[in-house]
Amino acid sequence: MVFDAIIIGSGFGGAIAACRLAEAGYKVLVLERGRRWDKSNFPRKPEDPWLWNHDRPETENGWLDLRMFPGMAVAQGAAVGGGSLIYANISCEAPARVFESGWPAEVTYADLKRHYDTVARFMNVQRIPNNQWTARMQLMRDAAEKNGFGDRFRQLELAVTFDPNWTYEKDFAKGEEASTLRPNEHGAMQGSCVHLGNCDIGCEVYAKNTLDRNYLYAAENKYHAEIRPLQLVDKIEPLADGTYRVWFDSLENGQRLPRSETARIVIVAAGSLGSTELLLRGRDVFHTLPTKRQFVPRQTLERQRRLPHPGLLRPPRCASILGPDHRIRHRLPRRQSGREHLLDRRRRSPDPPRRLPPSQSR
C-alpha cells in the first residue's frame, strides 16, 4: 500500500502533522513505537511495564524511555501520543523577547501567535480555576507579593479539562466519582480533573488533554489517518521513483517482525533523540540518506558527537523528591537573561545511576 505521507512518531510534532495532512486529504500512516495506553493498562504496580528497553522492545515496551547521559537525563514517552502522556500538562507560549536573538529573522512571535492560539483552542488549554489552587500555589503567590515580585508571578496554561464547580471541600474525598465524563469537542471521551496527582503516569479520569484525545483522535476518527502502535522504525530508504520506503519492526507477541511501507513524503517526528538517531543511522550505517551537512543541522551533529550512544541506561534509584509546581511560573530577576523558571527544590539521589553497555545498532 502506497501512502501520501508516513509520519514516524505520534508526539506533538507527529500528531499535528498527521491531523493537518489527513484533514487536507492526504493518505496518512503514523508509525508509533509505543503502545496505546488507557486506564486499563496504565502502569501502577512495581511489576507493571514502566520502562522501554532498547535491547528488548518486543517484550519490554513500557511507559517511559529513560536515557542517562553525563550531566543530563532524558525522559521520553513511548506511547500513541508520545510525550503528551508523560509531561506535566504545561502549554504556555514562549515570550516574545525569546525571538529577539538567536532565531532566524523570519521566525517571529507575531507570526507564531496565531499558531499558538490554534493549538491552545484545539487542546483546550486553560488555567486552573481560582477555587482549585493548591496550598503551595497560594504560598508561592504570597511569597512573591511580600518580596515585591507580585508582578512576576502568574499561572501556567495547562492542557487539562477542569470543572469550575469542583472544590476541595465538597468533592476531593469523592475521588474519581467526582469527575464528569463527556465527549470533548473532537468526540473523545474525557472526564474533568479531580486532582488525583497522577498526571505523569496516566490520568484515570482522562482529564489530561493528551494528543490521543484531540489531534490524533481527529486524525484517526474524523480524517481517516491510520495509526499503528508498536512499530519500531529502523531505516528510511529513498527509491528511484522519488518515493521513500520506511523499514520497521512490528512488535507482536514478543517478536520483531520486519515490515515496510512506501510514501511520497516521510516526516521524522520521533523526538530530539529518536529523530537524530534515525537520520544519523541512515547516513552513517545504512548509507541511504544524503550525506550533505544540511540534512542534519550542524548544531545537532556537534551535540551528537559529544553524547554516548543513546541506548537505554539503567535509571537511578528513586529518591525522595520535592519537585516543581507545574501550575505556576515565576520570572526571576536576572540582570542579563530575564529568563523564566519553574521553581524546583529537590534532594539529590544518594545512588548515582549505573550504566549498561550501549545497545548495538542492527
Side-chain angles (χ1 to χ4, degrees):
M1 180 182 295
V2 178
F3 292 87
D4 293 317
I6 292 177
I7 300 172
I8 303 170
S10 64
F12 288 100
I16 294 176
C19 183
R20 296 313 182 192
L21 286 175
E23 181 183 20
Y26 285 67
K27 189 176 183 179
V28 174
L29 171 64
V30 179
L31 297 174
E32 167 57 49
R33 63 174 179 164
R35 64 178 80 179
R36 292 183 189 266
W37 295 92
D38 58 36
K39 65 179 181 181
S40 70
N41 64 352
F42 287 146
R44 288 295 183 267
K45 301 176 182 178
E47 63 271 20
D48 285 346
W50 287 97
L51 293 178
W52 172 278
N53 190 325
H54 288 267
D55 292 326
R56 297 179 296 277
E58 66 275 14
T59 57
E60 299 180 31
N61 40 69
W63 177 260
L64 187 69
D65 177 1
L66 183 61
R67 309 198 192 190
M68 308 296 292
F69 302 108
M72 178 177 67
V74 180
Q76 301 178 112
V80 173
S84 74
L85 274 75
I86 71 165
Y87 84 136
N89 315 318
I90 298 171
S91 184
C92 55
E93 301 175 5
R97 63 179 177 278
V98 168
F99 302 96
E100 294 174 359
S101 63
W103 287 84
E106 295 80 7
V107 180
T108 67
Y109 176 80
D111 288 336
L112 289 176
K113 184 64 174 76
R114 62 190 179 96
H115 301 297
Y116 280 135
D117 293 342
T118 298
V119 172
R121 287 192 301 270
F122 208 91
M123 294 189 67
N124 191 25
V125 170
Q126 54 193 279
R127 295 179 180 180
I128 185 171
N130 290 335
N131 65 331
Q132 297 175 29
W133 281 36
T134 64
R136 182 162 55 175
M137 289 178 64
Q138 297 173 26
L139 287 171
M140 187 66 70
R141 177 200 58 195
D142 295 344
E145 292 176 350
K146 290 181 179 179
N147 284 278
F149 301 127
D151 60 331
R152 299 179 183 271
F153 173 92
R154 76 173 183 87
Q155 290 181 253
L156 287 169
E157 296 79 11
L158 303 177
V160 176
T161 298
F162 292 105
D163 177 0
N165 296 318
W166 186 98
T167 65
Y168 281 100
E169 296 78 13
K170 175 172 62 73
D171 300 306
F172 184 72
K174 300 176 185 177
E176 296 179 31
E177 294 181 1
S179 180
T180 303
L181 187 68
R182 61 170 60 97
N184 65 18
E185 64 174 294
H186 311 293
M189 296 301 294
Q190 282 200 257
S192 55
C193 179
V194 290
H195 301 271
L196 298 174
N198 290 332
C199 299
D200 297 346
I201 58 173
C203 177
E204 293 94 328
V205 298
Y206 304 134
K208 186 173 182 175
N209 303 341
T210 50
L211 294 168
D212 54 331
R213 301 193 178 273
N214 41 71
Y215 277 104
L216 291 174
Y217 189 91
E220 189 172 28
N221 294 277
K222 185 176 181 179
Y223 304 124
H224 311 297
E226 181 178 349
I227 300 175
R228 297 185 196 173
L230 294 172
Q231 309 296 316
L232 182 60
V233 175
D234 191 45
K235 180 172 68 172
I236 304 168
E237 178 185 10
L239 302 178
D241 62 358
T243 62
Y244 295 87
R245 182 171 295 279
V246 177
W247 297 87
F248 53 94
D249 287 342
S250 183
L251 310 178
E252 302 176 17
N253 301 318
Q255 297 179 303
R256 299 177 67 154
L257 305 178
R259 301 277 190 268
S260 71
E261 295 286 2
T262 58
R264 297 187 296 112
I265 301 167
V266 174
I267 297 176
V268 183
S272 299
L273 293 183
S275 295
T276 302
E277 184 177 353
L278 265 177
L279 295 176
L280 291 177
R281 187 189 300 130
R283 191 195 67 176
D284 298 337
V285 178
F286 297 118
H287 307 292
T288 58
L289 296 179
T291 57
K292 294 181 181 180
R293 183 171 287 265
Q294 64 263 28
F295 190 79
V296 181
R298 177 175 59 83
Q299 296 90 338
T300 301
L301 293 176
E302 291 300 325
R303 294 189 187 103
Q304 186 72 15
R305 292 191 185 102
R306 296 195 293 269
L307 292 176
H309 187 281
L312 181 70
L313 304 179
R314 187 180 301 277
R317 296 178 183 175
C318 293
S320 176
I321 293 176
L322 180 61
D325 192 326
H326 300 291
R327 305 172 187 84
I328 57 176
R329 179 167 64 185
H330 186 73
R331 185 181 171 195
L332 299 180
R334 297 285 183 90
R335 293 182 179 178
Q336 296 179 345
S337 66
R339 296 175 181 172
E340 296 182 354
H341 298 266
L342 292 175
L343 298 185
D344 186 4
R345 293 186 296 124
R346 64 182 66 213
R347 295 204 300 268
R348 181 174 297 178
S349 170
D351 301 311
R354 294 191 296 125
R355 297 185 183 180
L356 293 178
S359 59
Q360 301 298 318
S361 296
R362 295 191 300 114

